Amino acid sequence: MNRPVDGPASASGAGAPMMLSTAFRNPDNSYNAVRLMAAVSVVLSHSLLLGLNSPRYDPLSWAAYDLGATAVNIFFVLSGAMLTHSVMHRGLGRFARNRFLRIYPALIASAAFIAFFIGPLGTDAPLWEYYSNPQIWIYPLNVAWNFEGAVLPSVFEHGRYPGDINAPLWTIKYEILSYIVFGIAAALGFLRHPAIAITTWLAFALALLADIGVDPTGETPLESLFRFAFAFLTGVVARQLGAVIPLRFGWAAAALALALAGSGTSFAEVSWIIGIGYAAIYAGSKGWGRLSAFARQHDLSYGIYLLAWPIQQILTREPIWFGPQVAVLFVLSVSISASFAYLSWRLIEKPALRLKAHSGEIKS
């Protein structure tokens, strides 16, 4: 495939604003730090949900998407932008293999850890009975295709969400679907024509505006599909037009104002994803000191996302959490999940990234 290149507008002169395309070429960017903060935000949102047993305590309960959902939207926006950047400058390469290496080794390893080490802490069954159940041993493979639907018998039966082993995994199938469609589109040469991505992006925006697939009792699979597709394409389109999109503080403030202004209107979902998405891309273009340096060396966001929920289920299994204790739940959840995420990064994810490096793809 012919690789599109950024025009001269992507180079920033003295005093000129950084362009979006330049930000992703900067080895000192903070996008890993943004993703880390997004993962921690998911943990905070779930701490409030599990600890207070009501979504109304979420700090963004009034917005189009609560704190956890907003963080997941940021993951999709950044994923779309980073993959587009990678393909534009390095070609498609071994795309399918690289996506598999980024998602599945850590996913299966975390599922095995949950089944063999966390599960015994969350069951009332005798250990011999627990480990003799065949479903325990096939759980890691079950997660690979069934995600949040994979079950561990007798685990978390008495928590706030009985039998809910790892709820956040439901978003990963949409991430994988995004990769598949993106890879096909790239292979067909569609990335050479930004108008195609823009038209598709607008179509999904209209679907969100028209409330297609919306159910007042909860987010339907069709609504989720439109939401994640729009967020992912927001990143794709932003990066394709990166040579003409400046990253300015004033623009980021305006983007956040747009997100706030749309709240409570039919434009809420669209304006929130666009506004928060631009703000996240802007934030990632800046240096965050030691946090940025740490996140570049140790990408813990995925591991935290995979492990935090079952750890929180263990922590809330017996005691009644309320008030200030939720802060303790949050701190413990982040600390424990980050510790295991570090092991996942060192032992599973980083070695997988070394295999990806042979095809010259950026870390994403």
Side-chain angles (χ1 to χ4, degrees):
M1 139 181 186
N2 294 327
R3 304 174 195 170
V5 294
D6 299 307
S10 62
S12 298
M18 176 182 289
M19 308 306 289
L20 190 147
S21 57
T22 306
F24 286 96
R25 292 205 301 269
N26 178 12
D28 296 324
N29 67 53
S30 299
Y31 290 111
N32 277 3
V34 172
R35 293 194 298 192
L36 177 60
M37 290 298 98
V40 171
S41 296
V42 172
V43 179
L44 174 58
S45 181
H46 289 165
S47 295
L48 293 167
L49 180 64
L50 286 164
L52 301 176
N53 201 29
S54 174
R56 73 176 184 272
Y57 294 106
D58 189 281
L60 296 180
S61 60
W62 50 269
Y65 298 103
D66 65 21
L67 181 62
T70 295
V72 174
N73 290 342
I74 289 173
F75 284 135
F76 275 80
V77 171
L78 292 182
S79 182
M82 295 177 76
L83 285 181
T84 303
H85 178 87
S86 177
V87 172
M88 287 176 69
H89 287 271
R90 292 173 172 83
L92 198 54
R94 299 177 180 178
F95 183 84
R97 187 200 70 162
N98 291 342
R99 293 301 92 212
F100 178 89
L101 289 172
R102 189 63 187 103
I103 292 292
Y104 272 100
L107 176 65
I108 294 174
S110 67
F113 178 76
I114 292 166
F116 303 138
F117 297 100
I118 294 183
L121 300 176
T123 181
D124 293 327
L127 290 184
W128 67 266
E129 180 180 322
Y130 175 82
Y131 282 116
S132 64
N133 191 319
Q135 287 186 280
I136 305 303
W137 297 91
I138 66 172
Y139 177 77
L141 295 179
N142 194 6
V143 164
W145 66 274
N146 207 17
F147 304 100
E148 83 287 357
V151 297
L152 287 174
S154 77
V155 175
F156 303 147
E157 288 184 333
H158 307 295
R160 287 279 171 85
Y161 291 84
D164 202 336
I165 307 302
N166 205 351
L169 297 188
W170 76 274
T171 65
I172 294 179
K173 54 180 172 283
Y174 291 98
E175 181 85 4
I176 293 172
L177 180 60
S178 298
Y179 293 161
I180 293 171
V181 175
F182 178 87
I184 293 172
L188 294 175
F190 291 163
L191 288 185
R192 295 197 298 267
H193 308 285
I196 295 176
I198 293 172
T199 301
T200 308
W201 177 70
L202 290 174
F204 280 110
L206 290 174
L208 288 176
L209 291 173
D211 286 338
I212 296 176
V214 171
D215 184 343
T217 63
E219 188 167 325
T220 66
L222 185 60
E223 184 183 3
S224 297
L225 177 64
F226 292 153
R227 165 194 165 192
F228 292 132
F230 181 73
F232 188 87
L233 282 167
T234 296
V236 172
V237 170
R239 180 57 194 90
Q240 283 188 311
L241 303 180
V244 295
I245 298 179
L247 293 176
R248 299 176 182 267
F249 176 79
W251 282 43
L256 292 175
L258 171 69
L260 293 173
S263 299
T265 72
S266 58
F267 296 93
E269 291 86 358
V270 170
S271 63
W272 195 262
I273 290 173
I274 294 174
I276 299 297
Y278 178 90
I281 292 174
Y282 170 80
S285 71
K286 301 300 179 183
W288 296 8
R290 292 183 178 179
L291 177 60
S292 297
F294 175 84
R296 283 193 296 271
Q297 293 295 318
H298 312 286
D299 190 357
L300 307 186
S301 58
Y302 188 41
I304 291 173
Y305 190 80
L306 292 177
L307 292 166
W309 178 271
I311 289 171
Q312 290 174 304
Q313 283 278 55
I314 289 291
L315 291 174
T316 57
R317 185 178 176 221
E318 296 297 340
I320 303 296
W321 295 84
F322 61 90
Q325 288 182 313
V326 174
V328 178
L329 172 61
F330 169 65
V331 171
L332 285 175
S333 301
V334 170
S335 301
I336 297 171
S337 61
S339 298
F340 288 115
Y342 178 81
L343 293 177
S344 173
W345 168 252
R346 297 289 297 182
L347 301 177
I348 308 296
E349 297 169 64
K350 191 173 182 179
L353 286 177
R354 290 197 189 102
L355 295 176
K356 285 176 58 180
H358 291 301
S359 64
E361 184 177 337
I362 63 171
K363 297 178 182 180
S364 59

